[in-house]
Amino acid sequence: MAQLLIFAFIGIMWVLILAGGGILVTLVSKISISGYGDHLDFFIASIIKAVIALVLVVFWVLVLTKLKNKIFQKQIRA
Amino acid sequence: MQDYIIAGLVSSAIAFFVVFGLVPSLIKSLNKKNWAVKDVNRIGGAMVPRPGGPVILVGIIVSEISLYFLLPQQINTRGLVALLITTSIAFVVGFIDDRRVMSGWFKPLALMGAAIPIIALGAYEPNLAFPLFGEVKIPALYLGLILFMIPITGNTINSIDVMNGIASGFVMIASFSLAIVLFILQNYTVAIMTLPIAFASLAFYRYHKFPARIFPGDSGALVLGAAYGTIAIIGRVEVIAAIALLPAIINSFLFLSSVKRIVEHRQVKGPTIHTDDHKITTTKESNAPITLVRLIVASKPLTEKEIGFTIFRLAIFSGILAIITAIISGVQIWPSS
């Protein structure tokens, strides 16, 4: 049973990776800034994208931690 | 295509036979120097020579250099040079850690240095490809990604090197999966550059499998991990390469989320103990870290061999997910930016 749960956890991680990529491509990569000059616009947009990407990674880790606790609760307690 | 097939066969054979042929001499030499560590899972605790890293490095370097002569027109020279230098630096980092116990931060920071040749040689494309959704152009962010990728792949493989044969067997399965992925994506040159890692791992596994006659050590694990990470970057398959490594990534994730700091595994309590019939089971210590092996033996005690095969099944499952991801990469449901 514990081994089946590990396979399930890998499957969930796979889906989360694909979904996370989707959010980055469809939403985050579209962000653009204008009005500060070409170089500054690009720089500010890059910083905003980087911050959002980092927040997404932290969120992803938190989701995984919650899932890990839920899926492996019995095993971890044991 | 015929050139690729010949180059693939020759370089794979070189990687396999160099490692297969040199390991016995290395074992003798290490035994003479008394460079051996106790195999804590073996009945009686046999002393096993370490590290096997030098032979793995030589096998990979010789076979990769052979590709330069076998495919002079097609080979990605900058990628090849970056692979050789990054892997060699990772070996030095691992060898230092094999000989002296360094702090938990030493390897991640030193491996960031190993990633610098990839940036300096420009052996990358600053677009991150996401299956199904396309690519994202992230020139500045991608440099940071390279600096993190090599420490992550290196330490991830190192952290799964917990029992006989696991690190070499795991990298063998992940590298074969990655080679298939690159063939599916028609990146034939980098696919062939991946084969020496797979075949060097296969040859080393012959001596590393239970009961191990040699351990790869940190130098061997970091060489395999850094080479795998470099291939992922120059092949532009970072996300798919991570999918093939998922069991090892889960192991690192479980460890870090339970220990909550970057620390050498030697400095924390063992997550498993031995039963009277010398099987491996989970420890009763509440503050011991949670690892992949601890979860595998949570329901019932298993032998070292059984644990190894369970991890290989997980690696094959992740490899299949990586291959499925490569196949569906042709389907794009969102235009890339």
Side-chain angles (χ1 to χ4, degrees):
Chain A
M1 184 61 186
Q3 291 181 18
L4 274 180
L5 290 176
I6 301 169
F7 280 98
F9 193 60
I10 289 175
I12 291 168
M13 278 185 91
W14 180 56
V15 173
L16 279 174
I17 289 172
L18 295 182
I23 292 169
L24 279 175
V25 175
T26 55
L27 300 176
V28 181
S29 70
K30 305 292 174 198
I31 294 172
S32 65
I33 300 287
S34 58
Y36 298 96
D38 281 353
H39 288 295
L40 208 55
D41 286 349
F42 179 75
F43 183 69
I44 294 168
S46 293
I47 289 175
I48 292 170
K49 285 178 192 176
V51 169
I52 294 173
L54 286 174
V55 169
L56 277 172
V57 169
V58 172
F59 178 73
W60 196 72
V61 171
L62 284 175
V63 169
L64 276 180
T65 307
K66 292 271 178 208
L67 274 171
K68 176 205 79 179
N69 293 339
K70 223 176 175 69
I71 292 176
F72 300 117
Q73 206 168 25
K74 221 173 165 184
Q75 283 79 10
I76 292 166
R77 275 188 193 153
Chain B
M1 185 51 84
Q2 198 181 352
D3 293 349
Y4 285 112
I5 294 169
I6 293 168
L9 287 173
V10 173
S11 65
S12 299
I14 290 173
F16 183 87
F17 287 109
V18 166
V19 174
F20 193 79
L22 288 179
V23 170
S25 311
L26 182 66
I27 292 173
K28 272 185 199 163
S29 163
L30 291 170
N31 278 330
K32 263 186 196 167
K33 288 180 183 162
N34 208 17
W35 286 13
V37 289
K38 196 174 175 183
D39 185 350
V40 290
N41 293 316
R42 192 96 54 94
I43 299 169
M47 297 299 282
V48 178
R50 187 191 75 166
V55 161
I56 298 173
L57 179 74
V58 170
I60 290 175
I61 282 185
V62 172
S63 55
E64 295 289 354
I65 289 174
S66 75
L67 283 175
Y68 180 78
F69 297 101
L70 290 162
L71 293 171
Q73 304 295 321
Q74 300 94 328
I75 201 78
N76 171 354
T77 311
R78 278 191 292 186
L80 183 71
V81 175
L83 174 66
L84 297 180
I85 299 175
T86 297
T87 309
S88 301
I89 297 173
F91 167 77
V92 174
V93 172
F95 194 77
I96 292 170
D97 209 47
D98 279 329
R99 301 304 306 150
R100 303 178 60 170
V101 177
M102 309 300 282
S103 76
W105 280 100
F106 168 73
K107 275 181 283 183
L109 290 177
L111 285 175
M112 276 190 179
I116 289 172
I118 301 170
I119 298 171
L121 290 162
Y124 65 94
E125 284 282 333
N127 301 348
L128 192 57
F130 286 100
L132 289 173
F133 296 95
E135 293 184 345
V136 187
K137 286 175 191 151
I138 42 167
L141 200 60
Y142 195 84
L143 296 179
L145 188 81
I146 294 173
L147 290 177
F148 277 101
M149 184 114 179
I150 301 302
I152 288 172
T153 52
N155 279 300
T156 298
I157 298 303
N158 195 28
S159 70
I160 208 160
D161 182 26
V162 286
M163 287 176 188
N164 292 189
I166 292 183
S168 53
F170 184 86
V171 173
M172 174 185 70
I173 295 167
S175 302
F176 275 125
S177 305
L178 192 62
I180 294 169
V181 162
L182 286 158
F183 275 114
I184 291 169
L185 298 174
Q186 298 178 354
N187 193 343
Y188 301 121
T189 313
V190 184
I192 284 169
M193 287 169 73
T194 314
L195 291 176
I197 304 170
F199 278 93
S201 305
L202 176 65
F204 192 79
Y205 177 75
R206 169 75 182 74
Y207 301 97
H208 186 210
K209 70 179 182 184
F210 182 85
R213 292 168 59 193
I214 187 168
F215 287 150
D218 286 12
S219 56
L222 294 189
V223 161
L224 293 173
Y228 184 91
T230 310
I231 287 288
I233 291 167
I234 62 178
R236 303 179 64 197
V237 284
E238 303 85 349
V239 175
I240 301 180
I243 291 169
L245 279 192
L246 274 178
I249 291 171
I250 287 174
N251 182 53
S252 297
F253 168 73
L254 291 169
F255 182 84
L256 286 172
S257 69
S258 57
V259 174
K260 294 188 170 55
R261 63 199 161 108
I262 292 182
V263 64
E264 269 289 300
H265 57 87
R266 304 177 187 98
Q267 295 170 287
V268 293
K269 283 187 175 154
T272 54
I273 50 171
H274 293 102
T275 58
D276 292 338
D277 56 351
H278 219 78
K279 286 186 173 178
I280 294 162
T281 189
T282 182
T283 179
K284 301 288 178 223
E285 297 271 0
S286 57
N287 56 346
I290 297 159
T291 62
L292 186 62
V293 171
R294 191 176 170 188
L295 286 180
I296 288 171
V297 297
S299 50
K300 61 170 182 176
L302 296 171
T303 63
E304 188 173 1
K305 214 172 174 179
E306 288 169 333
I307 293 168
F309 284 127
T310 304
I311 291 177
F312 294 159
R313 278 197 291 275
L314 292 169
I316 291 168
F317 178 63
S318 306
I320 291 169
L321 289 181
I323 292 166
I324 292 171
T325 311
I327 293 167
I328 61 175
S329 287
V331 182
Q332 196 168 317
I333 60 173
W334 193 270
S336 50
S337 61

